[in-house]
Each structure stands twice: as C-alpha cells, then as structure tokens.
Amino acid sequence: MSNIESINSFFKSINYISPWIYFDSMAWDEFDQSMAICFRKNQVVFVQNEISEYVYIVKSGRLRIFHTDSNGKENCIYIAEKGSLIGESSIIDDQPNFYSVVTIIDSQLHKIAKNDFLNAIQNNSHLNLKVLQNFSRKLRALSSEIEFFSKNSQTRVAVSLLSLAVRYGKDHGQNILISIRFTHEELAYLTNLNRVTVSNIFLDLFKKGIITKTNGYVALSDVDALKKMGQHCL
C-alpha cells in the first residue's frame, strides 16, 4: 500500500471527509457556460448575506468558501476547485448567501443566470441528480469539518497536511511532496486557527523531521507520526 493509499484508509477509519471539493467538470456541460469571468488571487466573488443572481462553475483555480460569525471570525467551510458548483443553494431556496467566496489563486469561473439554472435542473433529471450529488458531497464535508474543528490545534494541522497530501501529493523517495505552495495563513484559514499557532506547530514538525521542505514545497517525511496526531479525530 502506498503512502497516499494508507492516508485514504486512515481517513475512512476516522470518518473524515476532505474539505477540497472538486467535481467532473463535464457533468455540467448541459449548462450554458458561455459567460466566463476571470478573477485574480484574493478577489471576492460574492459575500455572505448578499442576494445572488448567478450560479458559478469553477473552470480553473481554487477558492475559499467561508462563513463569518457574529464576532467577525471567518470559518472555512470548504475549498472549491475545478468542477465545483458555487452559489446554487441561495438560488434554490431563494435566500441570501450564507457564505462568502474569495479566490486563493487566479481563477476562471463560468456564471449561469438564476432563471437559466432553475430551468435547466427542472427540465433535466440527469442534471438535477448531479446537483444533488454536489450538495451531498458538500454536506458530508461540512459535517466532517464541524467535528474536525472541535479537535486540538496539532490534530487540525496534521489532518490538514494529510488531506493536502491526498489531493496534491506526489511520491518523492520515501516522502510525499505536496505539489502546491501554501502559506501558514492559508492553512490557518483552513483549520480555523491563528497564523502564529500554525507557524509554531510547523516549526515543531520541522524540528522533529516529520515534515521537510524541498525547493520551497512541503514534504511529509513521517506520515505515521501525522496519522498518530490525527488519531484525536476518533
């Protein structure tokens, strides 16, 4: 069993669902995707409590979906990647958005007008099923995140690193190299921790040789140690 396969097996054992949401973009071919729009890194797509008139399909890029509580704290819900459908819940229940969306990297989205989206899913049972499957995937991820956020900071960082390895990991000798660069601040958003806490945990992991860096990319050197830290999810 490869390292990545062992992580997937571990996630099943703790009933953890990755917050990275991606979908087969071809599933949405039946929507009219002629309206394409490009967003730069850290650009807002829409904000919480805003009335939306569009649904978005992620053509490329990576976006952070988060809810801001009454104290102004941002709570990450999931990360949307290629093929993700965004904003459909507000259109379907005709209520303001309950989350905000901001790009993590430069992204391209297709936007679909409200009436076009509703007409399409009402008249196409296959498309309707795909939307329901998309909903189900997000609900499972959200349920998992609620449990995840109740764990200690070391567990949250360890599980997030393992999740990154599953999504972006590549074998690099005995290590798993995470093939995207990310900042401590970005991981802090994902784990609902502050940046200083994440930085201190990373420093400890580096000192212990559990993670290393190769050409600016983080590599997991001791997957078993990270899984042990993640056992607190049980």
Side-chain angles (χ1 to χ4, degrees), residues 27-33 55 57 85 91-92 112-131:
W28 312 122
D29 284 351
E30 292 158 286
F31 284 125
D32 179 4
Q33 299 184 35
V55 172
I57 297 172
L85 200 63
I91 296 296
I92 290 173
I112 306 164
K114 176 179 180 178
N115 287 338
D116 291 339
F117 174 78
L118 291 175
N119 288 334
I121 62 173
Q122 286 170 359
N123 297 314
N124 188 322
S125 59
H126 178 260
L127 201 54
N128 198 319
L129 177 61
K130 293 295 184 182
V131 171

Side-chain angles (χ1 to χ4, degrees), residues 10-27:
F10 170 71
F11 282 163
K12 288 180 181 178
S13 74
I14 63 172
N15 198 30
Y16 176 78
I17 305 295
S18 169
W20 274 268
I21 304 292
Y22 47 97
F23 214 77
D24 181 359
S25 57
M26 292 180 64

Side-chain angles (χ1 to χ4, degrees), residues 31-36 110-111:
F31 284 125
D32 179 4
Q33 299 184 35
S34 57
M35 297 175 66
H110 290 294
K111 66 179 185 177

Side-chain angles (χ1 to χ4, degrees), residues 9-10 21 23 29-30 37 68 78-79 84 99 113 116 143 155 171 213 216 221:
S9 178
F10 170 71
I21 304 292
F23 214 77
D29 284 351
E30 292 158 286
I37 183 168
T68 305
Y78 64 90
I79 304 296
S84 290
Y99 55 77
D116 291 339
S143 298
T155 293
D171 288 329
K213 262 198 174 179
S221 303

Side-chain angles (χ1 to χ4, degrees), residues 70-89:
S70 58
N71 295 316
K73 179 177 174 57
E74 294 181 3
N75 301 291
C76 183
I77 302 173
Y78 64 90
I79 304 296
E81 297 193 312
K82 183 177 180 180
S84 290
L85 200 63
I86 303 173
E88 74 282 8
S89 56

